[in-house]
Amino acid sequence: ARWVPMAACACEAAQAALLKAKADGVVYCVQCEDVPAAVVCPTCDGDAYCGLCFRFQHRKGNKSAHVCQPLAGADQSQHVDPHAIEGTTEHFAALFEREQAARLEAAAKERENSHAVGASKQYDWGKEAHEEQQAEIEEQARWVPLRLTDRERKLLGILEGVLETSEYTDNVDVSFDYYGWRVGGTDKQNLISKELDEIFTLLSGLFLAGDYLAGRKVVEKSFAENETFFQQVFEIGRRFKILNPDKMRNTYGKLMHILQDAVSSRYYTPDSRTAMLSIRTVRSLLEERGSLDVLSDPALPAATRAVTSFYYVTVEPTPKPEAAPESMPASAPAPETASTPAPAAAIAQDSTKSSSSSEDEGEDDISEDSSSSYSSPDRITRWEGPNETFTKQQLSKPQPRVEQHTKTKEMMDEEMEEKTAALESLCLKYCGEGHALTREELCLVVDSLGDAYAFLAANRDPVDKMLHHLVNTFGGSVDEDDDDNDDWQFYRYSPEEREQKQKERQLRLQERALQRARRGIAPSLALRHGVEGSRISHSHAEQFTFVRQSLLLWREIQQRMYKLWILADKDLLSETHPYQLCNTGQGLNRVQCAPLIGSEMHSILASVQCSVGGWLGLSVVHLGDQDVPNALVFIDKYTQVPRILGPIAIAVERLDILARQERTKRLVEEAGGVEAVKATILADFFRHGFDGSGSDGGSCIDGRLTSAWNWCSLLEKKNFYPLFLATGFSGFDGEFR
C-alpha cells in the first residue's frame, strides 16, 4: 500500500511529460522534464530518460542491470559519449581541458599581440634616459639577489623547520658566571661541533622525509660529500632573508650564529677551503650564462620599472608682486628654471626683509604672509628633494610645496603595456638558439630586478612622505620659542620650582600650538636641553635642518639596502675578523668589527653631507662596539625605518577619512580639526622623535634612529593616541613569521 502514492506520482510525471511532448513535438525526460529524452527503459514501464538521468537512476541496485533502448529520432550523442552529458565527471574534465587550452591559446595570442604592439609602437626607450639609468642598473645587479625557484623554496621550508626547533644559541652563547664575563671554556669547541652535528642531522632527516629518492642519496653519503648540499641550503636561507626582511625575524639571527661558528671552527672544510657560498645575484647568473649584455640593453629599465599608483610633484609658490624687481613688471611670468636653490645673495637679501619685518612684530602677532607656502602654483615639476641647508631666514620665505598625485588607470595600463613589450623584446634578443640564457632565467632576472625596485620604492615611500610633510607643514614657519631663555637657567630654581616651571611651559607650548594650528600656522619645532626629555637645544630652523638631514640619510640608506645586506653578510661570515662574545651592558652579544659596512656607511654619509651642504650634529657611525655590536644589529636597525615612518604617514593620511565619516567626524573636530591634528602629530614626532634621547647626545648617526624608537615606545601616552587607533594603527613591530 505504501507504494501506491509513489506510483501515482510517477504516473502524473509520465502524463506531464507526454502532455509536454505533444505540445512541443519532443519527448522530454520523465525524471528532469527539461532535457529531451534519448533512451527508453523497457523494464521501467517504458519510461524515457535523458542520458544523465538514466545513468543516475540506474547507477546501483537492481536497476543497474536494466538495458535501455534508443528513442527513435532522439540525439544519442549525450548517451553514447559521457563527455557530452552535463553534470558528469567526464563532462567537467573535458570542459576544464577545453578552458585550459583556450587560456593557453589566449596567453600565446597576447604575447604575440604585445610583441606586435611593441613593434608597431616602436617604443623609444631613449638613449639619453638609458645612459642615466644604465650605471644604476649595473650597480644594483651586483647586489640584488635572485628570486627563489620552486625547488629552492622546498629547501627553505626544511631549513626553517630546523631553525625553529634548534636551540643552538641558547646552548652555545652562555656564560659561566653570574655577571656574564666568563664566556669561554675548554669544551666550547666540542659543544659547537655537537650542535652543528645535530643541525646537519636534522636537515638530512627532513630532506629525506620530503623527498625519499633524493634524500636517500644525501643520507647514504658522508658529510664531506654532502658539503655542497648544505652550502646551498644555507645560501638559500640567507638569500631569502635579504629578499624578505620581514620574514625569518626569529630564526635569521640563529642561522648567522650557526654559520659564524662553522666558519671560525672550519667545521665545514677540513682542508681550509671557503665554507660559505656567496649570495646568488642577478649579475652572477648572467655571468654564468655569458649574457651580461642584458644589463646594457635600453629595454631593461622599462621591463624592470616599478609601476606605482602615485607620483610626486613640486608646486612652486607664485612670487609676490611687491617682491618683484622694479625692472620687471609685476605681471611678468616666472623664469622657467629647474627646482634648484636660489643664489645665496638673493636668499640673504630677501630673508633680511622678512626677518626684519618679523622682528618688529610681537611674538604672538605672526603675519599670515609668513606662511604663504600655500599660494597658487605657477609651475609643477617632478620632485627630487630639496638640496639646500635651511636657515631661519630662508624658512621665513615661501617654500615649494610637494604634492602626491594619483595615476589614472590609463597611465598605469600604458606603463604595464610598455613593461610587457620590453620583456618580449629582451626574450627575442637574448633567448633561443645560440644563447645559453633560457626564457625562464631571463624572466627570473627581470622579475628579480623588478621586485628589487618595487621593494626599494616601498621602503623609500614612507621617508618621502615624511619629507613631504616636513617641507609642506614646517617649511614656512619661523622660530618663536626664544623667549624663555632666562627662565630656563635651572640652577636658579629648586627641584620643586623647576618641575613647576616645566609644567607651566608645557601647557603654554600646547596652548600656543593650538592657537597656531587654528590660524593655519604650523607649530614650532624648537627644542631645549632638559625640557620634556630633550638632550639637545635647537631653534626651529636648526631642528628643521636636523630632521631633514636625518630623513635624507635614511632615504639614501634605504636606496642602498641590498648592497648593505650583502656587505653585512660578508662581514658576519668573515674568517679574518672573528667575533668575541662579550657583555655589552645589554646582555651577551657577539662583538665583531664590520669594515665593509663601515666603509659603505661613510660613503653614504659623505654623499648626503655634500647634497645638503653641511651637517648638523655628530657624524659618528657606531659599529663593532657596545652600541652596535656587529653588522647584524646594524642592518636590523635600519630595516626598522619603514616600520617606524610607515604607520605615522598612514595615520596622517587617514585623518582626512576620519574627518569625512559621521561616526568619527566629531572626534576630529573636538581635537581642533584635521589640519590641527596633523600639525600636532607631525610636530610631536619631528621634535621628540629627534630630541637626542639616543646615545652620544642623540645627534650621532645611530642615535637619531634610537630617538625615533623611543618616541614609538611612548606613543600610548600621547594625547592623540586615540586618533591613531581610529585610523587603524596596530603597532610598529609587524609580524614575526
Side-chain angles (χ1 to χ4, degrees):
R2 62 191 183 93
W3 295 102
V4 174
M6 299 179 61
C9 293
C11 293
E12 292 177 0
Q15 292 176 2
L18 292 175
L19 291 175
K20 189 173 183 180
K22 292 179 180 179
D24 300 342
V26 180
V27 179
Y28 285 87
C29 176
V30 71
Q31 183 67 28
C32 64
E33 302 179 6
D34 290 329
V35 180
V39 295
V40 176
C41 183
T43 313
C44 296
D45 298 332
D47 290 340
Y49 295 93
C50 64
L52 179 61
C53 289
F54 178 81
R55 288 174 177 271
F56 183 77
Q57 294 295 329
H58 296 75
R59 69 187 185 280
K60 60 183 179 179
N62 294 332
K63 286 188 176 183
S64 62
H66 292 186
V67 179
C68 64
Q69 297 179 0
L71 183 63
D75 183 13
Q76 297 296 319
S77 62
Q78 60 170 316
H79 178 70
V80 176
D81 185 9
H83 297 82
I85 304 176
E86 295 185 4
T88 61
T89 304
E90 295 85 353
H91 173 74
F92 284 121
L95 182 62
F96 176 79
E97 292 177 359
R98 289 196 297 268
E99 292 178 352
Q100 183 71 9
R103 284 195 295 266
L104 294 176
E105 184 179 358
K109 290 183 178 179
E110 183 178 356
R111 285 197 298 268
E112 294 177 359
N113 293 337
S114 62
H115 175 63
V117 169
S120 61
K121 284 190 175 182
Q122 293 295 329
Y123 284 106
D124 184 10
W125 284 289
K127 180 179 179 181
E128 181 178 356
H130 166 61
E131 292 177 353
E132 296 177 358
Q133 300 179 7
Q134 180 181 358
E136 178 185 356
I137 291 178
E138 292 182 354
E139 177 66 18
Q140 289 289 357
R142 296 177 55 193
W143 313 108
V144 173
L146 282 173
R147 265 187 180 185
L148 268 63
T149 61
D150 293 339
R151 177 184 176 275
E152 291 174 340
R153 293 187 183 278
K154 294 179 181 179
L155 295 177
L156 174 67
I158 295 173
L159 177 61
E160 287 184 324
V162 172
L163 295 176
E164 288 286 351
T165 58
S166 174
E167 298 180 355
Y168 182 86
T169 307
D170 298 335
N171 297 333
V172 173
D173 291 349
V174 294
S175 173
F176 295 95
D177 64 351
Y178 181 79
Y179 298 99
W181 296 111
R182 292 183 60 241
V183 295
T186 57
D187 296 335
K188 187 168 184 178
Q189 187 66 31
N190 296 332
L191 179 62
I192 291 176
S193 300
K194 177 183 176 181
E195 293 293 332
L196 290 177
D197 277 333
E198 181 180 352
I199 296 293
F200 300 137
T201 303
L202 288 173
L203 279 175
S204 303
L206 290 180
F207 184 61
L208 176 65
D211 189 346
Y212 178 77
L213 295 179
R216 182 179 177 181
K217 299 178 181 179
V218 173
V219 174
E220 292 176 350
K221 294 180 180 179
S222 63
F223 172 79
E225 294 174 334
N226 291 328
E227 178 184 358
T228 303
F229 168 75
F230 292 126
Q231 290 177 349
Q232 291 176 353
V233 172
F234 290 132
E235 187 273 333
I236 290 170
R238 291 150 55 205
R239 175 153 44 107
F240 177 77
K241 176 61 178 179
I242 299 175
L243 290 170
N244 304 273
D246 290 336
K247 305 297 182 181
M248 298 180 65
R249 296 178 66 179
N250 289 330
T251 56
Y252 179 72
K254 190 185 303 182
L255 171 63
M256 298 310 295
H257 289 173
I258 291 172
L259 299 183
Q260 278 184 319
D261 291 337
V263 171
S264 61
S265 63
R266 298 287 186 180
Y267 186 83
Y268 275 147
T269 51
D271 54 352
S272 301
R273 289 182 289 119
T274 303
M276 291 298 130
L277 293 179
S278 301
I279 300 294
R280 293 198 68 195
T281 61
V282 171
R283 184 179 179 87
S284 64
L285 175 61
L286 294 177
E287 285 181 347
E288 292 175 3
R289 300 296 183 267
S291 302
L292 287 176
D293 294 341
V294 175
L295 298 176
S296 59
D297 194 284
L300 187 60
T304 59
R305 183 182 302 127
V307 179
T308 59
S309 60
F310 56 87
Y311 61 94
Y312 291 105
V313 296
T314 297
V315 181
E316 298 198 2
T318 304
K320 299 180 181 179
E322 61 272 17
E326 298 180 358
S327 59
M328 180 184 297
S331 59
E336 307 249 343
T337 58
S339 177
T340 55
I347 294 177
Q349 183 177 2
D350 293 342
S351 61
T352 303
K353 296 180 181 180
S354 60
S355 61
S356 60
S357 61
S358 61
E359 291 175 357
D360 294 340
E361 299 178 358
E363 174 187 314
D364 296 329
D365 299 334
I366 304 174
S367 63
E368 297 181 359
D369 294 339
S370 63
S371 60
S372 58
S373 60
Y374 302 98
S375 56
S376 59
D378 63 351
R379 182 170 58 87
I380 295 179
T381 57
R382 291 280 179 154
W383 181 51
E384 297 294 341
N387 291 325
E388 70 277 13
T389 301
F390 287 87
T391 61
K392 176 178 178 179
Q393 292 78 12
Q394 193 171 349
L395 288 176
S396 62
K397 296 181 57 181
Q399 299 296 326
R401 186 171 73 257
V402 181
E403 294 183 351
Q404 178 178 321
H405 290 251
T406 303
K407 295 179 182 178
T408 62
K409 185 177 182 300
E410 291 74 14
M411 296 170 62
M412 298 183 65
D413 290 343
E414 185 178 354
E415 292 182 6
M416 290 300 300
E417 184 179 314
E418 185 178 358
K419 282 175 64 74
T420 304
L423 177 59
E424 291 301 322
S425 174
L426 292 172
C427 291
L428 291 176
K429 189 180 298 185
Y430 299 102
C431 300
E433 297 182 0
H435 297 279
L437 190 67
T438 64
R439 181 184 179 89
E440 290 75 15
E441 292 174 339
L442 180 59
C443 291
L444 186 65
V445 168
V446 173
D447 292 340
S448 300
L449 289 174
D451 292 346
Y453 286 123
F455 173 77
L456 294 177
N459 281 2
R460 292 194 310 264
D461 180 58
V463 188
D464 290 336
K465 288 182 178 179
M466 297 307 291
L467 280 169
H468 157 76
H469 292 310
L470 176 67
V471 175
N472 286 3
T473 307
F474 304 98
S477 304
V478 181
D479 189 3
E480 298 182 356
D481 287 340
D482 293 335
D483 57 324
D484 293 335
N485 293 333
D486 295 336
D487 294 341
W488 293 104
Q489 298 178 11
F490 286 156
Y491 62 87
R492 295 184 178 183
Y493 302 101
S494 64
E496 294 78 9
E497 294 175 337
R498 187 182 309 166
E499 183 178 359
Q500 182 64 25
K501 286 285 185 179
Q502 290 179 352
K503 293 181 179 179
E504 293 177 357
R505 186 176 187 276
Q506 184 175 5
L507 293 175
R508 185 165 62 253
L509 291 177
Q510 292 179 356
E511 181 65 23
R512 179 184 300 171
L514 182 60
Q515 292 178 0
R516 289 171 59 86
R518 289 173 177 172
R519 297 170 57 185
I521 304 175
S524 174
L525 301 179
L527 291 173
R528 195 175 304 279
H529 186 279
V531 179
E532 300 177 342
S534 175
R535 297 181 61 183
I536 56 178
S537 295
H538 280 165
S539 64
H540 174 83
E542 291 174 341
Q543 184 66 8
F544 180 91
T545 303
F546 183 75
V547 174
R548 178 178 165 273
Q549 289 176 353
S550 303
L551 292 176
L552 289 176
L553 175 65
W554 293 353
R555 187 184 189 278
E556 186 65 21
I557 290 175
Q558 298 304 311
Q559 177 66 25
R560 305 192 194 182
M561 185 55 69
Y562 282 114
K563 183 176 183 180
L564 292 174
W565 268 107
I566 300 294
L567 296 180
D569 183 88
K570 293 181 178 180
D571 281 334
L572 287 170
L573 303 181
S574 173
E575 300 182 33
T576 58
H577 301 285
Y579 72 89
Q580 291 182 351
L581 190 63
C582 302
N583 189 339
T584 61
Q586 302 176 4
L588 291 177
N589 286 278
R590 297 191 173 194
V591 180
Q592 181 186 27
C593 64
L596 299 179
I597 283 286
S599 176
E600 183 64 20
M601 274 300 299
H602 284 94
S603 174
I604 294 174
L605 182 60
S607 64
V608 176
Q609 288 175 342
C610 293
S611 65
V612 299
W615 195 251
L616 186 62
L618 299 177
S619 58
V620 179
V621 180
H622 289 282
L623 273 174
D625 54 13
Q626 294 184 354
D627 294 323
V628 184
N630 49 56
L632 178 61
V633 177
F634 170 85
I635 201 68
D636 182 68
K637 285 172 66 73
Y638 285 99
T639 54
Q640 311 299 322
V641 171
R643 297 194 187 108
I644 293 175
L645 301 183
I648 301 174
I650 292 175
V652 172
E653 292 175 353
R654 291 181 178 176
L655 287 173
D656 295 324
I657 301 177
L658 296 182
R660 293 194 299 266
Q661 295 178 351
E662 293 296 333
R663 294 179 297 177
T664 55
K665 182 178 180 181
R666 183 178 177 182
L667 181 64
V668 178
E669 291 178 351
E670 290 179 353
V674 61
E675 296 300 330
V677 174
K678 285 183 178 180
T680 302
I681 294 175
L682 292 173
D684 193 89
F685 175 70
F686 289 145
R687 292 181 73 241
H688 301 295
F690 299 85
D691 61 355
S693 56
S695 61
D696 288 349
S699 63
C700 67
I701 303 303
D702 303 287
R704 302 170 191 238
L705 187 55
T706 308
S707 301
W709 280 358
N710 295 341
W711 184 90
C712 295
S713 64
L714 299 175
L715 179 61
E716 297 180 356
K717 300 180 180 180
K718 305 293 183 181
N719 295 332
F720 48 80
Y721 182 65
L723 290 174
F724 252 75
L725 296 178
T727 59
F729 171 78
S730 59
F732 296 98
D733 291 335
E735 298 182 358
F736 280 83
R737 293 288 298 175

